[in-house]
């Protein structure tokens, strides 16, 4: 059960009490509401709580004591009606103010309460007790108040709240309103209410704001449509470009094949056997590229890189062909920049504490292509074979970044995280390429 | 001691209570208007509700402008009542907090006392509840500041305060009481105007209206009864 009283009504009771030089009593007028709150918890589907809310709207002070009862505590119904008149139906309780007494109902009060319950026909009549105490030097005074429900067996005391500006929050949903029976208030609100509500009874402000929201949503939808269209167009054009590239590659292969056949026709024997295993750099590159490209339709450009690098590395060729033939991904591009010159790896490891001994010193002759430390092609081959379709980031073998620690700032963020992951591997005592390779 | 006691008229007490109970989220404050008699008793006849310029939860200070406009108000009161009125003290509320003045309060009070030795401070503590006994409490106290020893911090001294019965609510007090919504409106004009205003209307203006209507009704009733009484007495007198 919850009870509330407005600050003004409460102050008024205090005021009347202060004006009386004896005990003071009166009736509480208001209404009792039953609020049902449905709550859903994990343990059960739904539970509804029935809360009885007592709202005190007004108080009817009695001019003097013993105005409706006698010394024996017998309530006189006539006197009661004389005091209450037509407000009788609004009575929800009564109150009493006493000085220097205990916060308990006196015997007479209990008797009166029982009779009032019967006469007024309010089963859960409440009793509000005010007790006033002061310090010895009268500098500090306290007014204590308790709301009783004497007709109940348990939970006889009820918290009385005073709704105010501080607790009627402006941000939250208003579940209950401040009790109010003022006629003037209702009249003013009604008179001016028409300006805020349109014919459907919806607040005009709400409708306006909703319109703004709707307009914004429409705009979002239309821009989204435009973006979608542009995506499809881009896709189409990209496909056409890829097709053209393939055609060029095929055409070139045809011409080189023809040239080779012509050469073979002129110098037939010695060339035949190694032919299958070794190929001139350009053709090997191109063949590999040609071989791999169709299998990766989604990413024609970047996915062509790994095989190209592997081939070039094995041929000890530091040509810049891979860079020129295919678009470089963002992850791959910074590497040459990181070490300064594209063709030469940094001569010494940077800040990782790698010992020069076990770690094969990168030789100038080793082309810088993904492995700054000149690790063997094993890892790269594995990389090339298994990771065509992977993200560029996966191509970044942990070992590749050993020598680029100091340049991490220039690398894209993902690479930096790969670097961090790769550090333990890089710090392993043996600089075996195979160990590093097993990292991937 | 400069002040021997404080007599607070009950209608001024009513306005203080109204003001203190208007919000539990922050401290409210106001000034006390009245006079000091030859027995060094401070009589408070009315209060002025002040606008809080600093909305921090625990700091309550009066700006010089507010003091000066309060002085103007008290001159007006003096003319209306025909008695010399002036600002004799200040009050503020302690929602959810103990009624005793904080160090800041004591220091502020000391400052005002430098201006006027008879200046008193009132504190209303409200929205206190003892959860175990479901007992609510409203307390009020009166104090002044004194310097215990030279150069040391100020401490409070307790001043006895009595609420003096005043059957009718004075015009001045009524005006002060209804001033609250206007002050709140002014405070909010800079901020979310409409939303706060609606909230104020329902939380403050509404109940205020309701109480005034109730009071009016009661007064009408009392007047009728008193007139009947008067007739009866006149007749009785005539027969004698």
């Amino acid at each position: 059960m919850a009870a509330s009283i407005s600050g003004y009504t409460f102050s008024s009771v205090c005021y009347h009490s202060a004006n009386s030089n004896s005990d003071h009593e009166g009736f509480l007028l208001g209404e009792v509401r039953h609020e049902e709150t449905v709550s859903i918890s994990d343990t059960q589907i739904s539970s509804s709580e029935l809360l009885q809310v007592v709202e005190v709207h007004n108080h009817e002070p009695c001019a003097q004591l013993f105005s409706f009862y006698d010394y024996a505590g017998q309530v006189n119904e006539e006197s009661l009606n004389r005091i209450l008149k037509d407000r009788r139906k609004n009575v929800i309780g009564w109150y009493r103010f006493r000085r220097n007494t205990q916060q308990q109902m006196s015997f007479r009060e209990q008797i009166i309460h029982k009779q009032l319950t019967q006469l007024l026909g309010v089963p859960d009549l409440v009793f509000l007790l005010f007790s006033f105490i002061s310090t010895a030097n009268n500098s500090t005074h306290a007014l204590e108040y308790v709301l009783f429900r004497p007709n109940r067996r348990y939970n006889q005391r009820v918290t009385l709240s005073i709704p105010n500006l501080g607790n009627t929050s402006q941000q939250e949903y208003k579940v209950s309103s401040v009790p109010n029976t003022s006629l003037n208030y209702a009249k003013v609100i009604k008179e001016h209410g028409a300006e805020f509500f349109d014919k459907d009874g919806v607040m005009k402000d709400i409708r306006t704001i909703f319109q703004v929201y709707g307009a914004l949503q429409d705009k979002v939808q239309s821009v989204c449509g435009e973006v979608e269209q542009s995506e499809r167009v881009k896709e189409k054009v990209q496909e056409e470009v890829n097709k053209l590239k393939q055609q060029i590659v095929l055409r070139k292969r045809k011409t080189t094949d023809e040239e080779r056949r012509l050469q073979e026709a002129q110098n037939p024997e010695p060339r035949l056997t190694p032919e299958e295993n070794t190929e001139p750099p350009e053709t090997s590159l191109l063949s590999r590229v040609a071989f791999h490209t169709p299998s990766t339709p989604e990413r024609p450009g970047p996915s062509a890189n790994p095989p190209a690098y592997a081939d070039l590395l094995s041929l000890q060729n530091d040509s810049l062909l891979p860079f020129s033939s295919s678009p470089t991904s963002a992850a791959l591009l910074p590497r040459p920049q990181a070490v300064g010159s594209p063709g030469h790896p940094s001569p010494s490891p940077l800040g990782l504490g790698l010992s020069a001994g076990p770690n094969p010193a990168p030789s100038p002759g080793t082309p810088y292509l993904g492995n700054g430390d000149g690790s063997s092609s094993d890892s790269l081959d594995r990389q090339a074979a298994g990771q065509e379709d992977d993200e560029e980031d996966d191509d970044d073998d942990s070992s590749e970044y050993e020598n680029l620690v100091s340049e991490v700032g220039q690398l894209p963020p993902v690479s930096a995280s790969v670097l961090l992951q790769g550090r333990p591997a890089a710090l392993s005592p043996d600089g075996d390429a195979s160990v590093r390779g097993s990292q991937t | 001691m400069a002040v021997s006691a404080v007599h607070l008229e009950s209608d001024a007490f009513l306005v203080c209570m109204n003001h203190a109970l208007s919000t539990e989220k922050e401290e409210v404050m106001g000034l006390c208007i009245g006079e000091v008699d030859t027995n060094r008793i401070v009589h408070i006849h009315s209060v002025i509700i002040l606008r809080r310029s600093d909305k921090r939860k625990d700091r309550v200070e009066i700006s010089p402008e507010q003091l000066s406009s309060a002085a103007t108000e008290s001159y007006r009161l003096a003319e209306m009542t025909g008695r010399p009125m002036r600002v004799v003290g200040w009050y503020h509320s302690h929602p959810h907090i103990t009624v005793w003045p904080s160090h800041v309060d004591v220091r502020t009070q000391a400052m005002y006392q430098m201006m006027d030795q008879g200046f008193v401070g009132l504190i209303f503590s409200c929205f206190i509840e003892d959860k175990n006994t479901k007992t609510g409490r409203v307390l009020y106290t009166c104090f002044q500041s004194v310097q215990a020893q030279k150069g040391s911090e100020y401490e409070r001294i307790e001043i006895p305060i009595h609420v003096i019965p005043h059957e009718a609510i004075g015009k001045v007090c009524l005006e002060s009481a209804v001033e609250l919504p206007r002050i709140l409106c002014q405070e909010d004009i800079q901020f979310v105007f409409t939303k706060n205003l609606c909230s104020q209307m329902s939380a403050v203006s509404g109940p205020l209206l309701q109480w005034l209507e109730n009071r009016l009704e009661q007064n009408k009733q009392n007047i009728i009864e008193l007139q009947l009484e008067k007739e009866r007495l006149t007749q009785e007198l005539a027969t004698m």
Side-chain angles (χ1 to χ4, degrees):
Chain A
M1 194 194 209
S4 71
I5 184 173
S6 86
Y8 289 95
T9 309
F10 185 90
S11 305
S12 179
V13 173
C14 294
Y15 168 70
H16 281 270
S17 308
N19 281 342
S20 79
N21 54 8
S22 64
D23 292 356
H24 173 70
E25 63 198 1
F27 293 94
L28 297 172
L29 312 172
E31 67 170 355
V32 179
R33 277 199 332 259
H34 291 90
E35 278 181 4
E36 191 174 339
T37 51
V38 179
S39 61
I40 300 173
S41 73
D42 288 341
T43 55
Q44 50 196 107
I45 299 297
S46 77
S47 66
S48 71
E49 267 180 30
L50 200 62
L51 184 68
Q52 216 181 0
V53 178
V54 173
E55 277 182 8
V56 179
H57 294 159
N58 184 21
H59 75 110
E60 183 63 39
C62 294
Q64 54 226 22
L65 298 172
F66 301 102
S67 50
F68 61 96
Y69 57 93
D70 62 10
Y71 288 86
Q74 193 70 25
V75 174
N76 185 326
E77 194 169 352
E78 267 183 42
S79 314
L80 197 65
N81 287 334
R82 212 177 334 125
I83 294 169
L84 292 173
K85 296 191 228 343
D86 58 346
R87 279 184 289 259
R88 185 178 156 142
K89 54 181 168 9
N90 295 332
V91 174
I92 54 166
W94 63 302
Y95 69 90
R96 211 138 188 281
F97 169 89
R98 318 196 222 103
R99 290 184 175 87
N100 301 313
T101 56
Q102 280 186 328
Q103 280 280 344
Q104 279 173 8
M105 286 182 82
S106 72
F107 186 60
R108 186 187 279 142
E109 283 160 4
Q110 288 176 22
I111 298 175
I112 293 173
H113 189 87
K114 277 206 180 65
Q115 294 174 65
L116 282 175
T117 307
Q118 262 191 335
L119 286 172
L120 296 169
V122 180
D124 218 352
L125 199 71
V126 297
F127 176 67
L128 181 56
L129 178 62
F130 288 89
S131 74
F132 187 79
I133 47 173
S134 317
T135 54
N137 62 359
N138 285 316
S139 69
T140 309
H141 309 267
L143 184 76
E144 294 190 343
Y145 53 97
V146 187
L147 187 67
F148 288 96
R149 273 192 301 178
N151 298 333
R152 299 237 167 179
R153 276 198 168 281
Y154 308 103
N155 294 337
Q156 284 195 343
R157 293 176 176 228
V158 181
T159 302
L160 183 66
S161 71
I162 304 176
N164 55 82
L165 269 179
N167 70 359
T168 49
S169 169
Q170 295 139 9
Q171 316 297 334
E172 298 156 8
Y173 288 120
K174 286 198 190 290
V175 181
S176 62
S177 62
V178 181
N180 201 330
T181 54
S182 164
L183 295 167
N184 284 321
Y185 183 80
K187 197 161 75 153
V188 170
I189 296 292
K190 191 164 162 207
E191 271 172 12
H192 290 86
E195 292 163 21
F196 289 91
F197 290 88
D198 59 15
K199 49 180 171 49
D200 296 329
V202 179
M203 267 193 79
K204 286 183 193 163
D205 281 356
I206 290 178
R207 208 180 271 277
T208 318
I209 291 188
F210 201 72
Q211 277 172 0
V212 172
Y213 164 78
L216 206 58
Q217 197 66 14
D218 287 344
K219 185 63 82 174
V220 166
Q221 287 292 114
S222 81
V223 172
C224 181
E226 284 172 32
V227 167
E228 219 262 321
Q229 272 185 357
S230 67
E231 293 286 328
R232 299 291 83 81
V233 166
K234 192 181 90 158
E235 245 181 8
K236 190 154 160 276
V237 175
Q238 181 73 61
E239 223 178 88
E240 285 165 10
V241 162
N242 294 345
K243 263 198 214 139
L244 287 169
K245 280 196 191 153
Q246 278 178 36
Q247 283 172 4
I248 291 172
V249 161
L250 271 170
R251 190 77 50 83
K252 278 199 187 156
R253 186 160 49 131
K254 256 194 221 158
T255 48
T256 52
D257 277 352
E258 277 172 16
E259 274 175 23
R260 208 197 322 142
R261 269 191 224 106
L262 278 173
Q263 271 190 338
E264 281 168 18
Q266 291 165 11
N267 302 325
E269 291 91 41
R271 278 296 212 163
L272 275 170
T273 34
E275 211 176 273
E276 287 130 23
N277 302 328
T278 62
E279 289 168 351
E282 308 81 42
T283 55
S284 71
L285 158 69
L286 293 170
S287 66
R288 289 296 187 102
V289 168
F291 172 68
H292 286 294
T293 312
S295 66
T296 60
E298 320 89 72
R299 218 110 53 60
S303 62
N305 287 338
Y309 286 0
D311 287 327
L312 286 174
L313 199 63
S314 62
L315 294 167
Q316 300 285 305
N317 188 354
D318 65 345
S319 79
L320 297 173
L321 200 53
F323 291 100
S324 58
S325 70
S326 53
T328 50
S329 67
L332 298 169
L333 192 55
R335 264 180 278 158
Q337 292 166 3
V339 288
S341 75
H344 299 279
S346 61
S348 60
L350 304 166
L352 256 185
L354 292 169
S355 55
N359 197 9
S363 59
T366 312
Y368 173 66
L369 295 161
N371 257 0
D373 58 356
S375 58
S376 76
S377 58
D378 297 351
S379 57
L380 286 175
D381 278 343
R382 205 169 304 145
Q383 218 181 346
Q387 293 181 346
E388 291 161 8
D389 302 349
D390 290 350
E391 298 279 356
E392 285 91 37
D393 311 328
D394 288 341
D395 296 338
D396 301 335
D397 191 17
S398 53
S399 53
E400 292 157 3
Y401 284 89
E402 282 167 5
N403 297 327
L404 305 175
V405 167
S406 68
E407 314 286 350
V408 163
Q410 296 180 25
L411 301 172
V414 180
S415 312
S417 66
V418 171
L419 166 64
L420 292 172
Q421 287 165 17
R423 226 174 260 175
L427 289 171
S428 62
D430 47 12
D432 244 23
S434 57
V435 173
R436 277 188 232 100
S438 67
Q439 268 293 312
T440 52
Chain B
M1 233 185 340
V3 172
S4 59
V6 170
H7 287 189
L8 176 65
E9 297 280 326
S10 63
D11 53 352
F13 173 66
L14 170 68
V15 180
C16 290
M17 285 284 283
N18 282 345
H19 196 198
L21 292 174
S22 69
T23 176
E24 67 179 288
K25 219 170 28 176
E26 58 191 28
E27 299 184 357
V28 299
M29 60 183 273
L31 290 173
C32 305
I33 313 281
E35 53 187 343
V36 186
D37 68 13
T38 48
N39 295 325
R40 288 181 292 121
I41 297 179
V42 179
H43 294 266
I44 300 177
H45 292 282
S46 166
V47 295
I48 294 178
I49 292 176
L50 287 180
R51 235 179 69 231
R52 291 273 318 277
S53 47
D54 184 351
K55 287 265 201 187
R56 273 180 294 176
K57 203 171 187 316
D58 59 345
R59 305 193 90 67
V60 187
E61 276 142 23
I62 311 172
S63 71
E65 298 89 20
Q66 284 175 326
L67 267 178
S68 120
S69 70
T72 316
E73 176 70 17
S74 53
Y75 291 146
R76 195 177 69 86
L77 283 171
E79 284 186 1
M80 231 193 317
T81 58
R83 314 241 300 258
M85 297 281 204
R86 60 185 178 86
V87 179
V88 293
W90 67 305
Y91 73 90
H92 69 280
S93 73
H94 274 187
H96 299 293
I97 309 169
T98 170
V99 72
W100 307 129
S102 63
H103 289 304
V104 178
D105 292 338
V106 173
R107 219 176 301 138
T108 312
Q109 170 64 29
M111 258 174 33
Y112 294 138
Q113 272 174 239
M114 285 183 207
M115 202 175 54
D116 174 7
Q117 254 190 332
F119 211 77
V120 292
L122 270 66
I123 299 181
F124 289 82
S125 164
C126 39
F127 301 110
I128 310 254
E129 197 203 2
D130 180 356
K131 289 281 191 295
N132 293 332
T133 58
K134 301 258 172 80
T135 306
R137 235 173 249 124
V138 172
L139 299 99
Y140 58 98
T141 186
C142 182
F143 74 105
Q144 276 197 309
S145 296
V146 75
Q147 207 169 16
Q149 292 153 26
K150 206 87 174 91
S152 70
E153 274 294 313
Y154 291 103
E155 358 176 273
R156 80 177 164 94
I157 50 168
E158 300 176 345
I159 307 283
I161 177 167
H162 303 272
V163 175
I164 308 297
H166 201 214
E167 277 299 332
I169 304 175
K171 172 181 163 140
V172 172
C173 286
L174 273 175
E175 281 178 1
S176 294
V178 300
E179 189 66 15
L180 181 59
R182 207 173 306 148
I183 287 173
L184 291 171
C185 175
Q186 276 179 351
E187 280 179 351
D188 271 338
I189 270 178
Q190 313 158 21
F191 304 113
V192 189
F193 185 65
T194 314
K195 194 162 67 150
N196 281 359
L197 210 52
C198 287
S199 168
Q200 278 167 29
M201 283 196 293
S202 81
V204 178
S205 307
L208 177 56
L209 252 177
Q210 184 189 338
W211 167 69
L212 288 167
E213 284 171 19
N214 292 337
R215 179 81 190 165
L216 185 63
E217 187 60 37
Q218 278 171 12
N219 286 349
K220 276 190 192 156
Q221 205 55 39
N222 290 344
I223 288 168
I224 290 173
E225 285 165 12
L226 285 167
Q227 274 176 344
L228 284 171
E229 177 88 2
K230 186 176 124 179
E231 263 181 347
R232 189 181 65 75
L233 289 168
T234 319
Q235 275 182 1
E236 199 180 319
L237 202 59
T239 57
M240 272 165 47

